[in-house]
Protein backbone atom coordinates (compact mmCIF):
# COMPACT_ATOMS: atom_id res chain seq x y z
CA UNK A 1 0.00 0.00 0.00
CA UNK A 2 1.26 3.45 -0.98
CA UNK A 3 -0.12 5.66 1.75
CA UNK A 4 -0.61 8.74 -0.38
CA UNK A 5 -2.05 6.85 -3.37
CA UNK A 6 -5.76 7.51 -3.88
CA UNK A 7 -6.55 4.07 -5.30
CA UNK A 8 -4.51 2.23 -2.64
CA UNK A 9 -6.64 4.11 -0.11
CA UNK A 10 -9.83 2.98 -1.89
CA UNK A 11 -8.53 -0.62 -1.79
CA UNK A 12 -7.86 -0.20 1.95
CA UNK A 13 -11.39 1.13 2.52
CA UNK A 14 -10.12 4.51 3.70
CA UNK A 15 -11.95 6.35 0.91
CA UNK A 16 -15.46 5.23 -0.06
CA UNK A 17 -16.19 4.03 -3.59
CA UNK A 18 -19.08 2.40 -5.43
CA UNK A 19 -17.43 -1.04 -5.59
CA UNK A 20 -18.99 -3.50 -8.00
CA UNK A 21 -16.42 -6.33 -7.85
CA UNK A 22 -13.71 -7.39 -5.44
CA UNK A 23 -11.54 -10.50 -5.25
CA UNK A 24 -8.04 -11.30 -4.02
CA UNK A 25 -6.31 -9.53 -6.93
CA UNK A 26 -8.56 -6.83 -8.37
CA UNK A 27 -11.12 -4.19 -7.45
CA UNK A 28 -13.70 -2.61 -9.78
CA UNK A 29 -15.59 0.55 -8.88
CA UNK A 30 -17.51 3.30 -10.65
CA UNK A 31 -15.60 6.38 -11.78
CA UNK A 32 -16.53 9.45 -9.75
CA UNK A 33 -16.75 11.54 -12.95
CA UNK A 34 -18.30 9.19 -15.51
CA UNK A 35 -17.63 9.80 -19.22
CA UNK A 36 -20.24 7.28 -20.39
CA UNK A 37 -23.36 5.63 -18.91
CA UNK A 38 -21.07 2.83 -17.73
CA UNK A 39 -17.64 4.02 -16.58
CA UNK A 40 -15.91 1.54 -14.31
CA UNK A 41 -12.29 1.52 -13.15
CA UNK A 42 -10.68 -1.91 -12.79
CA UNK A 43 -7.45 -1.92 -10.79
CA UNK A 44 -4.94 -4.30 -9.24
CA UNK A 45 -5.22 -4.30 -5.45
CA UNK A 46 -1.47 -4.00 -5.10
CA UNK A 47 0.18 -0.84 -6.30
CA UNK A 48 1.55 -0.65 -9.86
CA UNK A 49 2.25 2.86 -11.18
CA UNK A 50 0.90 2.31 -14.71
CA UNK A 51 0.75 -0.13 -17.61
CA UNK A 52 4.37 0.81 -18.31
CA UNK A 53 5.31 -1.07 -15.13
CA UNK A 54 3.62 -4.39 -15.89
CA UNK A 55 6.19 -7.18 -15.88
CA UNK A 56 6.55 -10.80 -16.99
CA UNK A 57 5.28 -12.14 -13.65
CA UNK A 58 1.97 -10.25 -13.91
CA UNK A 59 0.22 -12.78 -16.16
CA UNK A 60 -2.29 -13.98 -13.57
CA UNK A 61 -3.14 -10.39 -12.66
CA UNK A 62 -3.67 -9.40 -16.30
CA UNK A 63 -5.93 -12.39 -16.90
CA UNK A 64 -7.99 -11.46 -13.85
CA UNK A 65 -8.22 -7.79 -14.86
CA UNK A 66 -9.51 -8.67 -18.33
CA UNK A 67 -11.85 -11.40 -17.13
CA UNK A 68 -13.30 -8.92 -14.63
CA UNK A 69 -13.78 -6.35 -17.38
CA UNK A 70 -15.63 -8.86 -19.58
CA UNK A 71 -17.80 -9.91 -16.64
CA UNK A 72 -18.66 -6.33 -15.67
CA UNK A 73 -19.44 -5.47 -19.31
CA UNK A 74 -21.82 -8.42 -19.40
CA UNK A 75 -23.46 -7.48 -16.10
CA UNK A 76 -23.84 -3.87 -17.26
CA UNK A 77 -25.60 -5.07 -20.41
CA UNK A 78 -23.05 -3.61 -22.82
CA UNK A 79 -23.93 -5.99 -25.64
CA UNK A 80 -23.65 -3.21 -28.25
CA UNK A 81 -19.97 -2.75 -27.42
CA UNK A 82 -17.55 -1.25 -24.96
CA UNK A 83 -14.07 0.25 -24.80
CA UNK A 84 -11.10 -0.17 -22.46
CA UNK A 85 -8.61 2.67 -22.01
CA UNK A 86 -5.54 2.95 -19.84
CA UNK A 87 -3.69 6.24 -19.76
CA UNK A 88 0.08 6.22 -19.20
CA UNK A 89 1.88 9.42 -18.34
CA UNK A 90 1.28 13.09 -18.85
CA UNK A 91 0.53 13.26 -22.57
CA UNK A 92 -2.11 10.56 -22.21
CA UNK A 93 -3.71 12.38 -19.28
CA UNK A 94 -2.94 9.91 -16.48
CA UNK A 95 -4.05 11.68 -13.30
CA UNK A 96 -3.86 8.82 -10.77
CA UNK A 97 -0.56 6.94 -10.64
CA UNK A 98 -2.01 3.53 -9.81
CA UNK A 99 -2.72 1.29 -12.81
CA UNK A 100 -6.38 1.44 -13.79
CA UNK A 101 -8.32 0.25 -16.81
CA UNK A 102 -11.30 2.42 -17.75
CA UNK A 103 -14.27 0.35 -18.95
CA UNK A 104 -16.58 2.63 -20.94
CA UNK A 105 -19.88 1.75 -22.56
CA UNK A 106 -23.53 2.52 -22.99
CA UNK A 107 -23.20 5.06 -25.80
CA UNK A 108 -21.62 5.20 -29.28
CA UNK A 109 -17.96 6.30 -29.15
CA UNK A 110 -15.86 8.17 -31.67
CA UNK A 111 -12.51 7.11 -33.09
CA UNK A 112 -9.79 8.30 -32.93
CA UNK A 113 -10.03 9.34 -29.25
CA UNK A 114 -9.09 12.88 -28.36
P1 LIG B 1 -6.81 8.87 -15.39
O1 LIG B 1 -7.07 10.33 -15.68
O2 LIG B 1 -5.62 8.70 -14.46
O3 LIG B 1 -6.73 7.99 -16.60
O4 LIG B 1 -8.09 8.34 -14.62
C1 LIG B 1 -8.33 8.62 -13.27
C2 LIG B 1 -9.82 8.48 -13.07
O5 LIG B 1 -10.06 8.41 -11.67
C3 LIG B 1 -10.61 9.67 -13.59
O6 LIG B 1 -11.53 9.21 -14.58
C4 LIG B 1 -11.31 10.23 -12.36
O7 LIG B 1 -12.63 10.66 -12.61
C5 LIG B 1 -11.27 9.05 -11.40
N1 LIG B 1 -11.24 9.43 -10.00
C6 LIG B 1 -10.46 10.40 -9.43
N2 LIG B 1 -10.67 10.45 -8.11
C7 LIG B 1 -11.60 9.49 -7.83
C8 LIG B 1 -12.23 9.04 -6.61
O8 LIG B 1 -11.96 9.54 -5.51
N3 LIG B 1 -13.13 8.05 -6.71
C9 LIG B 1 -13.45 7.47 -7.91
N4 LIG B 1 -14.36 6.49 -7.90
N5 LIG B 1 -12.87 7.85 -9.07
C10 LIG B 1 -11.96 8.84 -9.03
ZN1 LIG C 1 -1.71 2.72 -5.32
Amino acid sequence: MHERCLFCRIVAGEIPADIIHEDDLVLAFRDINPQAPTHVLVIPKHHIDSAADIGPTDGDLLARLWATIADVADREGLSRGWRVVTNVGRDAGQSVEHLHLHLLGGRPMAWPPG
Side-chain angles (χ1 to χ4, degrees):
M1 151 124 190
H2 286 203
E3 276 166 22
R4 285 182 302 281
C5 170
L6 176 64
F7 288 174
C8 282
R9 296 186 68 194
I10 287 177
V11 170
E14 293 176 11
I15 294 174
D18 186 356
I19 292 168
I20 59 172
H21 171 86
E22 178 169 15
D23 60 45
D24 56 324
L25 293 177
V26 311
L27 190 70
F29 53 96
R30 295 192 192 281
D31 197 291
I32 205 168
N33 182 25
Q35 302 301 313
T38 292
H39 187 173
V40 171
L41 302 174
V42 184
I43 71 170
K45 284 177 126 177
H46 76 268
H47 185 93
I48 298 176
D49 280 350
S50 80
D53 302 290
I54 292 169
T57 61
D58 290 320
D60 287 351
L61 172 65
L62 288 177
R64 190 73 66 81
L65 286 166
W66 283 98
T68 300
I69 286 166
D71 184 56
V72 172
D74 190 44
R75 280 160 44 198
E76 293 283 311
L78 304 181
S79 57
R80 290 172 59 92
W82 41 274
R83 182 175 290 175
V84 173
V85 174
T86 191
N87 295 316
V88 179
R90 193 179 310 164
D91 272 5
Q94 184 179 5
S95 61
V96 179
E97 288 195 4
H98 179 130
L99 172 63
H100 48 285
L101 304 181
H102 297 258
L103 168 62
L104 298 150
R107 64 165 171 82
M109 276 175 264
W111 191 264

